[in-house]
Amino acid sequence: MKKYTSVILLICSLHFLAAQHSSVDILRDWKFSNYDHGAAFQENFNDADWEHVTVPHDWAVKEDFNFTHDIQLTMVIQDGETTPKYRTGRTGALPYVGIGWYRTNYTVSATELEENIELLFDGAMSNAKVYVNGAYVGARPFGYISFHFDITKFLKAGENTIAVRLENFNSQSRWYPGAGLYRKVSVKKRNKTHVKTWGTFVSTPQITNKKALVHLDLEVVGEGKCTIFNEIIAPDGKKIAQNSKDISLSGEAKLSENFKILKPQLWDIKTPQLYTLKTSILKNGTAVDTYTTTFGVRSIRFELDGFYLNDEKIRFKGVNMHHDFGPVGAAFHKELFIRQMKKMKEMGVNAIRFSHNPPAPEALDICDEMGILAIDEAFDEWQLGKVLNGYSKHFDLWAKEDLSDMILRDRNHPSIIMWSIGNEIMEQYQHDPNKITSYLNTIVKSLDTTRATTAGFNSANNALESGMAATVDVAGFNYKPGIYHKIREHYPTIKFYASETGGSLSTRNSYKFPVVFDTLQNQRGTSVHTELYADGQPGNYENTNVPWGYAPYKEFASQEYNDFVYGEFVWTGYDYLGEPSPYHTAKSRSSYFAPVDMVGLEKDKFYLYKSEWNEDTEVLHFFPHWSLPEMKGKKIPVVCYTTYDKAELFVNGKSYGIKTKNKPAIPEFLATDIKKEASGGTTMAQLEAYALVWEQVIYEPGEAKIIAYDKKGKKVAETRRVTAGKPHHISVKNETQIIQEGEVAVYVVSVVDKDGNLYPHYNKNMKIEVSGAAQFLASGNGDPTNVQNLSKPTRAFFNGQAVIYVQSIAKGTIVLKTNSEDFEGTNTTVIVK
């Protein structure tokens, strides 16, 4: 026993004192060209006149909007179409189609060439072909997947040239896909004996309050005798478990180890505790490779009555998230994803469905750190395509490898609870003739049995009748609140959740009168009389929706009535570039669905979700704003989203009475036939179940005030809106005070009156000037119809506001100046450390 202890201590000391041969270099500096230079792969190609860019980089988002870029003749079955129609703006009206070349230099020593060198792409959009020193290394068509190549044999001592050719095709996407090396690119240098990339899998098969069993599956590659040393580090940084094993390698080997953790700190939504497993490979007492794996100790169960995390039933309060950051495009910035997730957490979100492809790996790191459940989704198409040049072109050749790599890369993230193998796949309508559901499900199970498989089905009856919904562990149904009870009645063993919900449209601070809800449905259940406004601004009363969509209230009611449904994922958390449904004309280039607009500013329904989902705060929010000169003397509805029991509205001191929510015991919209799948439209009664509504309020300039009361009638809160005075100045507010070099800072710019009240009718242009420690990156205003170039320092205000993004380039103070024809605004608050 003493001998064993001394060996362990020796290994520990060597582990920390020996020189580490593993290193990772991030390749940030590249040269770029949009022209298809046929010889650009060659080592000595002259790229002197190419553009210098920093990766992650999205070249298409920097260009002008033009609706001729993305005209698609297509038939959208989901919209009930039976013949193809022309659509514009579907992929964001940006020129993402075309070829992009990237070149960079990378230096290695002769000593390093004796080891193993790997080139890793977190994502490249799309159809990547990779060359090193003029030699072809490999290709990967799928733009969302991470991939890597061993490039050791292609390298030479000294300077090397890495070249990447990317090509996007017309009609390859249903939304804006981005273009270029839009995620991180890195080079990993390590000993020839090493842990394989994505070569660890940590699971926690047994958990009690007293201890947890941690299981490690490990893949290593190399030659000769070595010692595998593993240690587990607790969230507080203390080492709590370790073991070692002597092995003899001849190529690849797979190992398994078990550990015990006493009094484990569980990963959950409120306290997302993270452990680290550090694997070291030692030869002759020297550590030649180290590999760290972050993991969480948590249990998940999928039962007929719901989803359980650590034996506690959790209802999904989820949103779908596309991969772009609005004006910044698809280039991944960790700090911007953190910004999105903070906003979603404030709203009460506990789960994300990454729609409809694998996210950047850092996005999952952030979900781990913030305690957000995640669904990792692989495909939007299988063999049958939705668009002419979509993933169906690659499915037969690449689906197994792409799905496998997604799981291998991501399966240590405790945030991931389900693997989604597809979204609204067209095979539903043919009852999956090639049994692809089973094929993909089997691939997942060969790599991970600790999580559930799932898919998002928009044709519930086809998915149920064909057995597709039963093949996955947990089915997702899109836009089906009217038939959840019928699904359980007819298919009592199916476990399911609402993978997409909503479909009502809104734009920030826009209001349209009169407010009329579309209560009529056709036989299929879709709306028939939803009004589309000519200016592309549908308002904020959630009374405009896509044909198959509905306001949030309907989903809330159905989820409460059907408490066996696992929860919902709203379409979407943030608005995104592309899919301006149902505004398919050349007026709009981004979506309308989310409670938060494309630049991160809240619409009114943000507070509806917050009042229903965020259990840690009180909410008292009402609309419209009180600057509506065209409505003077006319009747308007006033709506209040609140957590309080009841409230009273006053306009210039006049009471309009006390209101409470009016929830029926059984939702009136429940279908009597499972075949009536669509749930389009909403009613005023459904609104009044989840909001306080004063329907006939005479608008008068001045003050509108709401006082909230508790059950005993005691005043507990108050909020007010006033009619804004004349626009007086520009307010420039930074969202963060300190950022790191290279990071992005975000500013909210508002035109306000002399008292600081937002003036919601100011829509003039402003010019933007950035100096000091940053440079201008992008700007936007949340208006789906605004087609100003996102990357030029000019922006129109939209209903009084806009958002500016700047990227730091040095340490120091950022100076941001804005000016319109009327006002100037300056901010010197943000510091780059």
Side-chain angles (χ1 to χ4, degrees), residues 394-458:
H394 309 293
F395 183 88
D396 288 342
L397 185 61
W398 286 99
K400 181 177 181 180
E401 188 168 352
D402 287 339
L403 179 59
S404 298
D405 281 352
M406 181 186 85
I407 295 166
L408 291 172
R409 186 194 75 170
D410 295 343
R411 60 185 178 176
N412 290 309
H413 290 282
S415 57
I416 295 178
I417 55 171
M418 286 191 274
W419 304 112
S420 176
I421 58 175
N423 171 71
E424 296 189 352
I425 52 269
M426 299 301 289
E427 279 77 359
Q428 294 170 100
Y429 300 101
Q430 296 186 12
H431 282 204
D432 197 11
N434 294 329
K435 305 301 179 187
I436 297 174
T437 313
S438 179
Y439 167 69
L440 296 176
N441 195 75
T442 300
I443 293 172
V444 175
K445 295 301 184 182
S446 72
L447 298 170
D448 181 17
T449 59
T450 70
R451 298 172 174 88
T453 54
T454 188
F457 300 108
N458 60 301

Side-chain angles (χ1 to χ4, degrees), residues 701-714:
E703 178 190 76
K705 178 174 65 175
I706 288 185
I707 296 176
Y709 305 100
D710 63 16
K711 293 179 180 179
K712 296 181 180 179
K714 180 182 178 182

Side-chain angles (χ1 to χ4, degrees), residues 65-83:
F65 291 102
N66 189 324
F67 289 97
T68 63
H69 291 317
D70 63 0
I71 295 174
Q72 292 186 12
L73 179 62
T74 186
M75 181 177 68
V76 181
I77 294 176
Q78 292 90 333
D79 285 2
E81 294 178 355
T82 56
T83 58

Side-chain angles (χ1 to χ4, degrees), residues 109-263:
S109 67
T111 302
E112 289 170 330
L113 285 178
E114 296 175 2
E115 299 188 327
N116 175 266
I117 302 178
E118 187 175 77
L119 181 62
L120 174 63
F121 295 83
D122 286 354
M125 191 62 69
S126 59
N127 296 287
K129 294 182 179 179
V130 180
Y131 304 84
V132 174
N133 294 327
Y136 175 72
V137 175
R140 200 61 174 259
F142 193 24
Y144 295 95
I145 201 70
S146 295
F147 59 96
H148 51 86
F149 298 116
D150 184 341
I151 61 171
T152 312
K153 67 180 181 181
F154 299 98
L155 297 169
K156 62 184 179 181
E159 190 173 82
N160 297 266
T161 300
I162 299 172
V164 183
R165 182 187 188 274
L166 302 173
E167 183 169 12
N168 285 344
F169 294 99
N170 185 42
S171 296
Q172 79 172 42
S173 179
R174 298 191 295 122
W175 54 83
Y176 177 67
L181 295 177
Y182 72 113
R183 293 178 183 168
K184 184 172 81 273
V185 182
S186 55
V187 173
K188 181 183 290 187
K189 294 182 289 190
R190 59 199 176 182
N191 192 275
K192 287 188 179 295
T193 298
H194 58 267
V195 177
K196 291 180 65 176
T197 297
W198 311 331
T200 62
F201 180 27
V202 181
S203 58
T204 52
Q206 298 176 21
I207 302 172
T208 67
N209 291 332
K210 294 182 178 180
K211 65 180 179 180
L213 176 67
V214 177
H215 180 77
L216 167 66
D217 290 319
L218 176 67
E219 293 184 73
V220 296
V221 61
E223 301 290 337
K225 294 181 178 180
C226 58
T227 299
I228 308 297
F229 178 66
N230 292 296
E231 55 187 336
I232 293 179
I233 301 167
D236 61 4
K238 295 180 180 179
K239 298 174 195 171
I240 57 172
Q242 61 187 28
N243 65 21
S244 66
K245 178 181 289 187
D246 294 329
I247 64 171
S248 183
L249 286 172
S250 179
E252 296 186 9
K254 295 183 178 181
L255 301 85
S256 295
E257 295 287 348
N258 288 312
F259 308 84
K260 288 183 181 179
I261 296 178
L262 300 180
K263 296 181 179 179

Side-chain angles (χ1 to χ4, degrees), residues 486-506:
K486 287 296 180 182
I487 294 174
R488 177 49 56 94
E489 177 185 330
H490 290 275
Y491 300 90
T493 62
I494 293 285
K495 306 168 186 176
F496 65 94
Y497 62 102
S499 37
E500 290 181 25
T501 63
S504 60
L505 316 176
S506 50

Side-chain angles (χ1 to χ4, degrees), residues 454-621:
T454 188
F457 300 108
N458 60 301
S459 181
N461 280 285
N462 279 318
L464 290 161
E465 291 168 4
S466 65
M468 297 173 75
T471 299
V472 293
D473 296 318
V474 182
F477 295 117
N478 294 356
Y479 311 103
K480 299 293 179 285
I483 62 167
Y484 296 151
H485 62 301
K486 287 296 180 182
I487 294 174
R488 177 49 56 94
E489 177 185 330
H490 290 275
Y491 300 90
T493 62
I494 293 285
K495 306 168 186 176
F496 65 94
Y497 62 102
S499 37
E500 290 181 25
T501 63
S504 60
L505 316 176
S506 50
T507 51
R508 186 193 75 251
N509 276 338
S510 296
Y511 303 98
K512 292 294 172 64
F513 304 101
V515 176
V516 179
F517 285 92
D518 181 8
T519 60
L520 297 179
Q521 294 181 342
N522 60 19
Q523 189 174 3
R524 179 172 173 258
T526 58
S527 297
V528 293
H529 285 157
T530 292
E531 182 175 359
L532 299 183
Y533 298 96
D535 63 357
Q537 308 299 340
N540 267 262
Y541 285 90
E542 307 306 319
N543 59 320
T544 301
N545 52 264
V546 287
W548 31 265
Y550 46 89
Y553 331 115
K554 183 175 283 189
E555 190 68 37
F556 291 153
S558 184
Q559 294 265 338
E560 288 181 12
Y561 182 73
N562 300 289
D563 63 359
F564 50 83
V565 181
Y566 283 15
E568 67 168 307
F569 289 84
V570 176
W571 190 261
T572 49
Y574 268 59
D575 282 336
Y576 55 94
L577 285 163
E579 288 195 310
S581 304
Y583 289 94
H584 297 304
T585 65
K587 292 183 178 179
S588 305
R589 45 68 175 149
S590 55
S591 69
Y592 291 80
F593 300 111
V596 178
D597 70 18
M598 202 177 76
V599 294
L601 300 181
E602 305 93 338
K603 305 175 191 177
D604 289 306
K605 69 179 169 186
F606 173 88
Y607 298 95
L608 169 64
Y609 284 106
K610 185 175 181 179
S611 68
E612 289 294 314
W613 285 358
N614 190 329
E615 299 174 357
D616 299 323
T617 188
E618 300 290 354
V619 176
L620 186 64
H621 172 89

